Amino acid sequence: MTVTTAQSPPGDQGPQTSLGTPPAPGTTLPARRKARTESRRNLATLRASDVYALLGAAAAALCVTWLMFDRMLPFNGALGFVAIAYALFIGLYALLVSFDEDGPAVRDRVAAAVVQSLGIVMLAVLAFVVVYTLWEGREALPHLNFYTESMADAGPLEPLDVGGVLHAIVGTLWQISIALLICIPAGLVCAVFLNEVPGAFSRFVRTIVEAMTALPSIVAGLFIYATFILALGFDRSGFAAALAISVMMLPIIIRAADVVIRLVPGTLREASYALGTSRWRTVWHVVLPTSRSGLTTAIILGTARGVGETSPVLLTAGYTAELNADPLHGPMVSLPLATFELVKSPEPTYIARGFGTAAVLLVLVLALFVLARILGGRGPGQLTRRQEHRRMKASRRDAKRFATYAPADQPSDSPAPTRSTP
């Protein structure tokens, strides 16, 4: 007896099986594994494990170093203790970080710890210098006569309420002002020349400038003393000291300004040249305004180098305890030179005046820095509130002017009159 299967409806192309035969098993595909996504490492967020690793490494380094110096090995000395403790701290910190992170993260954390620790050391040294200077000069700084009198009437045994450093303040202001008047235009022009006029001569000038950055200050003083005083016959004066200071400041300003101008994007110059502008108008209206904040920093670096010079001033201007406001005639002392002469005295009052003079020099440098920042302004694209207010007022005036002339520019709805021809 033959068994026939039921006919499938039209259009059904499924498999046909006999009634007594079980269906064939289908193919089972394995489950597809989910793609493993790597977690993105965040190097900016400070986690609790990072703080624990830092504190644990520091504590362990101090304890191990103390055991080595006090119990195990015959070591002594504060400098050796600090060096060994720091090396152990870096090694232990890298070990603790490696428990939670991979190789690149460990290297990043170790490098960050080294850089941040060096920054902390520099800030600590700077704070120590400032605080120590102010502390040692605390006896002289509260006296008003310290800022309004000179040392002409103050002997070694005079109390602190007699005499001051007015002559040194005036001398420093005259010398650094003359030096800036010489160095700012000369340094900026030379830096622009090195960048905008390439060639063999500019490479030669750059080599000379780089060599002059390492020039000892005593050599600059001897150069001005031999040329300006001995050869030309001028007297020792504040102007001669300013010339010696300019020799020290000029290569610093040129080198720093050269680097800053080199960072100006070339596309800005190309856009200016495409508009038909000459080279020097491009420099004046594009390059210098773009790098204004960096040029201010270059001037500050040069000023910081020149304001602290002592030996060139001693050779070219001499030393005096009297006030001299004429930079062209007579000896003129500066604040660093006055500090040197006062501190080397064995008298306690002179030593207190010397540290007070150094504190005044620090305040003067800070004032010059703030003034330079104010004059230098902000970086390109950053506007002050006053500049934003001026720009808003100019935009409103332009909008009113456009609204006034708009009806005259709009076409009228009536058709234009036509002239008929016979």
Side-chain angles (χ1 to χ4, degrees), residues 131-190:
V131 172
Y132 182 77
T133 303
L134 295 175
W135 177 258
E136 291 294 331
R138 68 188 185 279
E139 297 180 357
L141 292 175
H143 296 278
L144 183 61
N145 59 280
F146 186 72
Y147 311 98
T148 58
E149 297 180 5
S150 65
M151 293 294 295
D153 300 329
L157 301 179
E158 294 290 342
L160 293 175
D161 55 358
V162 178
V165 291
L166 179 62
H167 59 303
I169 297 175
V170 173
T172 298
L173 291 177
W174 268 116
Q175 293 169 14
I176 201 65
S177 300
I178 296 173
L180 288 175
L181 289 177
I182 297 173
C183 292
I184 290 177
L188 296 184
V189 169
C190 185

Short mmCIF file of all heavy atoms in Angstrom, two decimals, residues 131-190:
data_model
loop_
_atom_site.label_atom_id
_atom_site.label_comp_id
_atom_site.label_asym_id
_atom_site.label_seq_id
_atom_site.Cartn_x
_atom_site.Cartn_y
_atom_site.Cartn_z
N VAL A 131 60.93 84.67 50.90
CA VAL A 131 60.62 84.76 52.33
C VAL A 131 61.88 85.07 53.13
O VAL A 131 61.86 85.89 54.07
CB VAL A 131 59.96 83.45 52.80
CG1 VAL A 131 59.81 83.44 54.32
CG2 VAL A 131 58.60 83.30 52.15
N TYR A 132 63.00 84.44 52.79
CA TYR A 132 64.24 84.68 53.52
C TYR A 132 64.70 86.13 53.35
O TYR A 132 65.16 86.77 54.31
CB TYR A 132 65.32 83.73 53.03
CG TYR A 132 66.63 83.87 53.75
CD1 TYR A 132 66.82 83.35 55.03
CD2 TYR A 132 67.71 84.55 53.16
CE1 TYR A 132 68.02 83.49 55.69
CE2 TYR A 132 68.91 84.69 53.81
CZ TYR A 132 69.07 84.15 55.08
OH TYR A 132 70.26 84.30 55.74
N THR A 133 64.57 86.67 52.13
CA THR A 133 64.96 88.06 51.90
C THR A 133 64.08 89.02 52.70
O THR A 133 64.58 89.96 53.34
CB THR A 133 64.88 88.38 50.40
OG1 THR A 133 65.71 87.48 49.67
CG2 THR A 133 65.32 89.81 50.13
N LEU A 134 62.77 88.79 52.68
CA LEU A 134 61.87 89.66 53.44
C LEU A 134 62.09 89.52 54.95
O LEU A 134 62.01 90.51 55.69
CB LEU A 134 60.42 89.33 53.09
CG LEU A 134 59.99 89.62 51.65
CD1 LEU A 134 58.57 89.14 51.41
CD2 LEU A 134 60.11 91.10 51.33
N TRP A 135 62.40 88.33 55.41
CA TRP A 135 62.61 88.13 56.84
C TRP A 135 63.88 88.81 57.33
O TRP A 135 63.90 89.42 58.39
CB TRP A 135 62.64 86.64 57.15
CG TRP A 135 62.91 86.32 58.58
CD1 TRP A 135 64.07 85.89 59.14
CD2 TRP A 135 61.97 86.43 59.66
NE1 TRP A 135 63.94 85.72 60.48
CE2 TRP A 135 62.64 86.04 60.84
CE3 TRP A 135 60.63 86.81 59.75
CZ2 TRP A 135 62.02 86.02 62.08
CZ3 TRP A 135 60.01 86.79 60.98
CH2 TRP A 135 60.70 86.40 62.13
N GLU A 136 64.95 88.69 56.54
CA GLU A 136 66.20 89.32 56.95
C GLU A 136 66.15 90.84 56.85
O GLU A 136 66.88 91.54 57.55
CB GLU A 136 67.36 88.79 56.09
CG GLU A 136 67.70 87.33 56.34
CD GLU A 136 68.25 87.10 57.73
OE1 GLU A 136 68.86 88.04 58.28
OE2 GLU A 136 68.07 86.00 58.27
N GLY A 137 65.31 91.37 55.98
CA GLY A 137 65.18 92.82 55.84
C GLY A 137 64.00 93.41 56.57
O GLY A 137 63.64 94.57 56.33
N ARG A 138 63.40 92.63 57.48
CA ARG A 138 62.20 93.09 58.19
C ARG A 138 62.48 94.28 59.09
O ARG A 138 61.57 95.07 59.38
CB ARG A 138 61.63 91.94 59.00
CG ARG A 138 62.50 91.52 60.17
CD ARG A 138 61.98 90.25 60.84
NE ARG A 138 62.76 89.92 62.04
CZ ARG A 138 63.92 89.29 62.01
NH1 ARG A 138 64.46 88.95 60.83
NH2 ARG A 138 64.55 88.99 63.13
N GLU A 139 63.72 94.44 59.54
CA GLU A 139 64.03 95.55 60.44
C GLU A 139 64.16 96.87 59.69
O GLU A 139 63.89 97.93 60.26
CB GLU A 139 65.32 95.25 61.19
CG GLU A 139 65.24 94.02 62.10
CD GLU A 139 66.55 93.77 62.81
OE1 GLU A 139 67.51 94.53 62.56
OE2 GLU A 139 66.62 92.82 63.62
N ALA A 140 64.56 96.83 58.43
CA ALA A 140 64.76 98.06 57.67
C ALA A 140 63.54 98.47 56.87
O ALA A 140 63.32 99.67 56.63
CB ALA A 140 65.96 97.91 56.73
N LEU A 141 62.72 97.52 56.44
CA LEU A 141 61.59 97.84 55.55
C LEU A 141 60.52 98.71 56.19
O LEU A 141 59.93 99.54 55.50
CB LEU A 141 60.97 96.53 55.03
CG LEU A 141 61.84 95.72 54.07
CD1 LEU A 141 61.18 94.40 53.73
CD2 LEU A 141 62.13 96.52 52.81
N PRO A 142 60.21 98.59 57.49
CA PRO A 142 59.13 99.44 58.04
C PRO A 142 59.47 100.92 58.13
O PRO A 142 58.56 101.74 58.26
CB PRO A 142 58.89 98.85 59.44
CG PRO A 142 59.44 97.48 59.38
CD PRO A 142 60.60 97.55 58.44
N HIS A 143 60.74 101.30 58.05
CA HIS A 143 61.13 102.71 58.20
C HIS A 143 60.86 103.47 56.90
O HIS A 143 61.30 103.05 55.82
CB HIS A 143 62.61 102.81 58.58
CG HIS A 143 62.93 102.20 59.92
ND1 HIS A 143 62.73 102.86 61.11
CD2 HIS A 143 63.42 100.98 60.24
CE1 HIS A 143 63.10 102.08 62.11
NE2 HIS A 143 63.53 100.93 61.61
N LEU A 144 60.17 104.60 57.01
CA LEU A 144 59.85 105.40 55.83
C LEU A 144 61.11 106.04 55.23
O LEU A 144 61.20 106.21 54.01
CB LEU A 144 58.83 106.48 56.19
CG LEU A 144 58.34 107.36 55.04
CD1 LEU A 144 57.66 106.52 53.97
CD2 LEU A 144 57.41 108.45 55.57
N ASN A 145 62.07 106.38 56.07
CA ASN A 145 63.29 107.01 55.56
C ASN A 145 64.10 106.06 54.69
O ASN A 145 64.95 106.49 53.91
CB ASN A 145 64.16 107.48 56.72
CG ASN A 145 64.56 106.34 57.65
OD1 ASN A 145 63.78 105.92 58.49
ND2 ASN A 145 65.78 105.83 57.49
N PHE A 146 63.84 104.77 54.79
CA PHE A 146 64.55 103.79 53.97
C PHE A 146 64.25 103.99 52.49
O PHE A 146 65.06 103.63 51.63
CB PHE A 146 64.15 102.38 54.40
CG PHE A 146 64.91 101.29 53.72
CD1 PHE A 146 66.25 101.05 54.01
CD2 PHE A 146 64.30 100.49 52.76
CE1 PHE A 146 66.95 100.04 53.37
CE2 PHE A 146 64.99 99.48 52.12
CZ PHE A 146 66.31 99.26 52.44
N TYR A 147 63.11 104.59 52.16
CA TYR A 147 62.72 104.80 50.77
C TYR A 147 62.88 106.25 50.32
O TYR A 147 62.77 106.52 49.12
CB TYR A 147 61.26 104.38 50.57
CG TYR A 147 60.93 103.03 51.13
CD1 TYR A 147 60.32 102.92 52.39
CD2 TYR A 147 61.21 101.87 50.44
CE1 TYR A 147 60.00 101.69 52.93
CE2 TYR A 147 60.90 100.63 50.96
CZ TYR A 147 60.30 100.54 52.21
OH TYR A 147 60.01 99.31 52.75
N THR A 148 63.12 107.16 51.24
CA THR A 148 63.16 108.58 50.89
C THR A 148 64.51 109.24 51.12
O THR A 148 64.66 110.42 50.82
CB THR A 148 62.10 109.35 51.71
OG1 THR A 148 62.35 109.17 53.11
CG2 THR A 148 60.70 108.83 51.38
N GLU A 149 65.48 108.52 51.63
CA GLU A 149 66.80 109.09 51.91
C GLU A 149 67.89 108.24 51.25
O GLU A 149 67.66 107.08 50.90
CB GLU A 149 67.06 109.17 53.42
CG GLU A 149 66.10 110.09 54.17
CD GLU A 149 66.40 110.14 55.66
OE1 GLU A 149 67.43 109.53 56.07
OE2 GLU A 149 65.63 110.77 56.41
N SER A 150 69.05 108.84 51.11
CA SER A 150 70.22 108.13 50.61
C SER A 150 71.14 107.80 51.78
O SER A 150 70.87 108.14 52.93
CB SER A 150 70.95 108.97 49.57
OG SER A 150 71.47 110.15 50.16
N MET A 151 72.26 107.18 51.47
CA MET A 151 73.22 106.79 52.50
C MET A 151 74.32 107.82 52.68
O MET A 151 75.37 107.51 53.26
CB MET A 151 73.84 105.44 52.12
CG MET A 151 72.87 104.28 52.14
SD MET A 151 72.25 103.91 53.81
CE MET A 151 73.76 103.40 54.60
N ALA A 152 74.10 109.04 52.21
CA ALA A 152 75.14 110.06 52.31
C ALA A 152 75.43 110.43 53.77
O ALA A 152 76.58 110.69 54.13
CB ALA A 152 74.73 111.29 51.53
N ASP A 153 74.41 110.45 54.62
CA ASP A 153 74.57 110.86 56.02
C ASP A 153 74.50 109.69 56.99
O ASP A 153 74.42 109.90 58.21
CB ASP A 153 73.50 111.88 56.39
CG ASP A 153 73.58 113.13 55.54
OD1 ASP A 153 74.70 113.47 55.13
OD2 ASP A 153 72.53 113.74 55.27
N ALA A 154 74.52 108.47 56.50
CA ALA A 154 74.38 107.30 57.35
C ALA A 154 75.71 106.55 57.40
O ALA A 154 76.19 106.04 56.38
CB ALA A 154 73.28 106.38 56.84
N GLY A 155 76.32 106.49 58.56
CA GLY A 155 77.54 105.75 58.76
C GLY A 155 77.27 104.32 59.17
O GLY A 155 76.12 103.89 59.33
N PRO A 156 78.34 103.55 59.39
CA PRO A 156 78.16 102.14 59.76
C PRO A 156 77.45 101.95 61.10
O PRO A 156 76.78 100.94 61.30
CB PRO A 156 79.59 101.60 59.81
CG PRO A 156 80.39 102.54 58.98
CD PRO A 156 79.75 103.88 59.15
N LEU A 157 77.59 102.89 62.00
CA LEU A 157 77.01 102.75 63.33
C LEU A 157 75.69 103.49 63.48
O LEU A 157 75.13 103.51 64.58
CB LEU A 157 78.00 103.26 64.39
CG LEU A 157 79.36 102.54 64.43
CD1 LEU A 157 80.24 103.13 65.50
CD2 LEU A 157 79.17 101.03 64.66
N GLU A 158 75.19 104.12 62.43
CA GLU A 158 73.93 104.84 62.51
C GLU A 158 72.76 103.86 62.62
O GLU A 158 72.78 102.77 62.02
CB GLU A 158 73.73 105.73 61.28
CG GLU A 158 74.74 106.86 61.17
CD GLU A 158 74.51 107.91 62.24
OE1 GLU A 158 73.39 107.95 62.82
OE2 GLU A 158 75.45 108.69 62.51
N PRO A 159 71.71 104.22 63.34
CA PRO A 159 70.54 103.33 63.43
C PRO A 159 69.78 103.29 62.11
O PRO A 159 70.06 104.05 61.16
CB PRO A 159 69.71 103.96 64.55
CG PRO A 159 70.13 105.39 64.57
CD PRO A 159 71.59 105.41 64.19
N LEU A 160 68.79 102.42 62.07
CA LEU A 160 68.04 102.21 60.84
C LEU A 160 67.10 103.36 60.51
O LEU A 160 66.61 103.43 59.38
CB LEU A 160 67.23 100.91 60.94
CG LEU A 160 68.05 99.62 60.98
CD1 LEU A 160 67.15 98.42 61.19
CD2 LEU A 160 68.86 99.46 59.71
N ASP A 161 66.85 104.25 61.45
CA ASP A 161 65.99 105.39 61.14
C ASP A 161 66.76 106.52 60.48
O ASP A 161 66.22 107.62 60.31
CB ASP A 161 65.30 105.90 62.41
CG ASP A 161 66.30 106.24 63.50
OD1 ASP A 161 67.51 106.04 63.30
OD2 ASP A 161 65.85 106.69 64.58
N VAL A 162 68.00 106.27 60.07
CA VAL A 162 68.83 107.24 59.33
C VAL A 162 69.33 106.56 58.07
O VAL A 162 69.87 105.45 58.11
CB VAL A 162 70.02 107.73 60.17
CG1 VAL A 162 70.87 108.70 59.37
CG2 VAL A 162 69.54 108.37 61.47
N GLY A 163 69.17 107.24 56.93
CA GLY A 163 69.66 106.71 55.67
C GLY A 163 68.66 105.80 54.98
O GLY A 163 67.69 105.31 55.58
N GLY A 164 68.89 105.59 53.70
CA GLY A 164 68.01 104.75 52.90
C GLY A 164 68.63 104.40 51.56
O GLY A 164 69.84 104.58 51.34
N VAL A 165 67.82 103.92 50.63
CA VAL A 165 68.30 103.45 49.33
C VAL A 165 67.63 104.21 48.20
O VAL A 165 67.45 103.67 47.10
CB VAL A 165 68.04 101.93 49.19
CG1 VAL A 165 68.92 101.14 50.14
CG2 VAL A 165 66.56 101.61 49.42
N LEU A 166 67.27 105.46 48.43
CA LEU A 166 66.66 106.24 47.35
C LEU A 166 67.62 106.41 46.18
O LEU A 166 67.19 106.38 45.02
CB LEU A 166 66.22 107.60 47.89
CG LEU A 166 65.59 108.56 46.87
CD1 LEU A 166 64.31 107.97 46.30
CD2 LEU A 166 65.33 109.92 47.49
N HIS A 167 68.91 106.59 46.46
CA HIS A 167 69.88 106.77 45.38
C HIS A 167 69.99 105.52 44.52
O HIS A 167 70.16 105.60 43.30
CB HIS A 167 71.24 107.13 45.98
CG HIS A 167 71.79 106.08 46.91
ND1 HIS A 167 71.11 105.64 48.01
CD2 HIS A 167 72.96 105.38 46.89
CE1 HIS A 167 71.83 104.72 48.65
NE2 HIS A 167 72.95 104.54 47.98
N ALA A 168 69.87 104.32 45.13
CA ALA A 168 69.92 103.08 44.37
C ALA A 168 68.65 102.87 43.54
O ALA A 168 68.70 102.37 42.41
CB ALA A 168 70.14 101.91 45.31
N ILE A 169 67.50 103.26 44.09
CA ILE A 169 66.25 103.13 43.34
C ILE A 169 66.27 104.02 42.10
O ILE A 169 65.91 103.59 40.99
CB ILE A 169 65.05 103.46 44.25
CG1 ILE A 169 64.95 102.47 45.40
CG2 ILE A 169 63.76 103.48 43.44
CD1 ILE A 169 63.87 102.81 46.42
N VAL A 170 66.69 105.27 42.27
CA VAL A 170 66.76 106.20 41.13
C VAL A 170 67.76 105.71 40.10
O VAL A 170 67.51 105.75 38.89
CB VAL A 170 67.11 107.61 41.64
CG1 VAL A 170 67.36 108.56 40.47
CG2 VAL A 170 66.01 108.15 42.52
N GLY A 171 68.91 105.22 40.56
CA GLY A 171 69.92 104.72 39.62
C GLY A 171 69.43 103.52 38.83
O GLY A 171 69.64 103.44 37.60
N THR A 172 68.74 102.59 39.48
CA THR A 172 68.22 101.42 38.77
C THR A 172 67.16 101.81 37.75
O THR A 172 67.14 101.28 36.62
CB THR A 172 67.64 100.42 39.78
OG1 THR A 172 68.68 99.97 40.65
CG2 THR A 172 67.04 99.23 39.09
N LEU A 173 66.27 102.73 38.12
CA LEU A 173 65.23 103.15 37.17
C LEU A 173 65.83 103.85 35.96
O LEU A 173 65.40 103.61 34.81
CB LEU A 173 64.24 104.08 37.88
CG LEU A 173 63.35 103.42 38.94
CD1 LEU A 173 62.47 104.46 39.62
CD2 LEU A 173 62.49 102.33 38.32
N TRP A 174 66.83 104.71 36.17
CA TRP A 174 67.47 105.37 35.04
C TRP A 174 68.19 104.35 34.14
O TRP A 174 68.04 104.39 32.91
CB TRP A 174 68.48 106.41 35.54
CG TRP A 174 67.93 107.78 35.69
CD1 TRP A 174 67.80 108.51 36.83
CD2 TRP A 174 67.45 108.62 34.63
NE1 TRP A 174 67.25 109.73 36.57
CE2 TRP A 174 67.04 109.84 35.22
CE3 TRP A 174 67.32 108.47 33.26
CZ2 TRP A 174 66.51 110.89 34.48
CZ3 TRP A 174 66.78 109.52 32.51
CH2 TRP A 174 66.39 110.71 33.13
N GLN A 175 68.94 103.47 34.72
CA GLN A 175 69.73 102.52 33.92
C GLN A 175 68.86 101.55 33.15
O GLN A 175 69.09 101.31 31.96
CB GLN A 175 70.69 101.77 34.85
CG GLN A 175 71.77 102.64 35.46
CD GLN A 175 72.53 101.94 36.56
OE1 GLN A 175 72.44 100.73 36.72
NE2 GLN A 175 73.30 102.70 37.34
N ILE A 176 67.84 101.00 33.79
CA ILE A 176 67.00 100.04 33.09
C ILE A 176 66.13 100.72 32.06
O ILE A 176 65.81 100.14 31.01
CB ILE A 176 66.16 99.22 34.10
CG1 ILE A 176 65.70 97.91 33.47
CG2 ILE A 176 64.98 100.02 34.60
CD1 ILE A 176 66.79 96.98 33.13
N SER A 177 65.73 101.97 32.30
CA SER A 177 64.93 102.71 31.29
C SER A 177 65.75 102.98 30.05
O SER A 177 65.27 102.77 28.91
CB SER A 177 64.41 104.01 31.89
OG SER A 177 63.59 103.77 33.02
N ILE A 178 66.98 103.45 30.21
CA ILE A 178 67.84 103.70 29.05
C ILE A 178 68.14 102.40 28.31
O ILE A 178 68.14 102.36 27.07
CB ILE A 178 69.14 104.40 29.50
CG1 ILE A 178 68.82 105.78 30.09
CG2 ILE A 178 70.11 104.54 28.34
CD1 ILE A 178 70.03 106.47 30.70
N ALA A 179 68.38 101.33 29.06
CA ALA A 179 68.66 100.05 28.42
C ALA A 179 67.45 99.55 27.63
O ALA A 179 67.61 99.00 26.52
CB ALA A 179 69.07 99.02 29.48
N LEU A 180 66.25 99.73 28.14
CA LEU A 180 65.06 99.31 27.41
C LEU A 180 64.84 100.17 26.17
O LEU A 180 64.40 99.65 25.13
CB LEU A 180 63.84 99.37 28.32
CG LEU A 180 63.74 98.30 29.41
CD1 LEU A 180 62.55 98.55 30.31
CD2 LEU A 180 63.65 96.92 28.78
N LEU A 181 65.11 101.46 26.26
CA LEU A 181 64.98 102.31 25.08
C LEU A 181 65.93 101.89 23.97
O LEU A 181 65.65 102.08 22.78
CB LEU A 181 65.25 103.77 25.46
CG LEU A 181 64.17 104.46 26.31
CD1 LEU A 181 64.61 105.88 26.67
CD2 LEU A 181 62.84 104.49 25.56
N ILE A 182 67.07 101.33 24.33
CA ILE A 182 68.02 100.86 23.33
C ILE A 182 67.67 99.46 22.83
O ILE A 182 67.71 99.18 21.62
CB ILE A 182 69.46 100.87 23.91
CG1 ILE A 182 69.87 102.30 24.25
CG2 ILE A 182 70.45 100.26 22.94
CD1 ILE A 182 71.19 102.39 24.99
N CYS A 183 67.28 98.57 23.74
CA CYS A 183 67.15 97.16 23.40
C CYS A 183 65.82 96.81 22.74
O CYS A 183 65.79 95.91 21.89
CB CYS A 183 67.32 96.31 24.66
SG CYS A 183 68.99 96.34 25.35
N ILE A 184 64.73 97.48 23.11
CA ILE A 184 63.44 97.09 22.55
C ILE A 184 63.39 97.31 21.04
O ILE A 184 63.10 96.36 20.28
CB ILE A 184 62.29 97.83 23.27
CG1 ILE A 184 62.16 97.30 24.71
CG2 ILE A 184 60.99 97.66 22.52
CD1 ILE A 184 61.09 98.01 25.52
N PRO A 185 63.68 98.51 20.51
CA PRO A 185 63.63 98.63 19.05
C PRO A 185 64.71 97.83 18.35
O PRO A 185 64.45 97.19 17.32
CB PRO A 185 63.80 100.14 18.82
CG PRO A 185 64.41 100.66 20.06
CD PRO A 185 63.94 99.80 21.17
N ALA A 186 65.94 97.83 18.89
CA ALA A 186 67.01 97.08 18.25
C ALA A 186 66.74 95.59 18.27
O ALA A 186 66.95 94.88 17.27
CB ALA A 186 68.35 97.40 18.93
N GLY A 187 66.26 95.07 19.40
CA GLY A 187 66.00 93.64 19.48
C GLY A 187 64.86 93.19 18.59
O GLY A 187 64.96 92.16 17.92
N LEU A 188 63.77 93.96 18.54
CA LEU A 188 62.64 93.57 17.70
C LEU A 188 62.98 93.67 16.21
O LEU A 188 62.61 92.80 15.42
CB LEU A 188 61.42 94.43 18.03
CG LEU A 188 60.86 94.29 19.45
CD1 LEU A 188 59.60 95.12 19.60
CD2 LEU A 188 60.59 92.84 19.78
N VAL A 189 63.71 94.71 15.82
CA VAL A 189 64.11 94.84 14.42
C VAL A 189 65.03 93.70 14.01
O VAL A 189 64.89 93.13 12.92
CB VAL A 189 64.78 96.21 14.19
CG1 VAL A 189 65.45 96.26 12.82
CG2 VAL A 189 63.75 97.33 14.29
N CYS A 190 65.96 93.34 14.87
CA CYS A 190 66.86 92.24 14.56
C CYS A 190 66.10 90.92 14.48
O CYS A 190 66.37 90.10 13.59
CB CYS A 190 67.97 92.16 15.60
SG CYS A 190 69.23 90.93 15.25
#
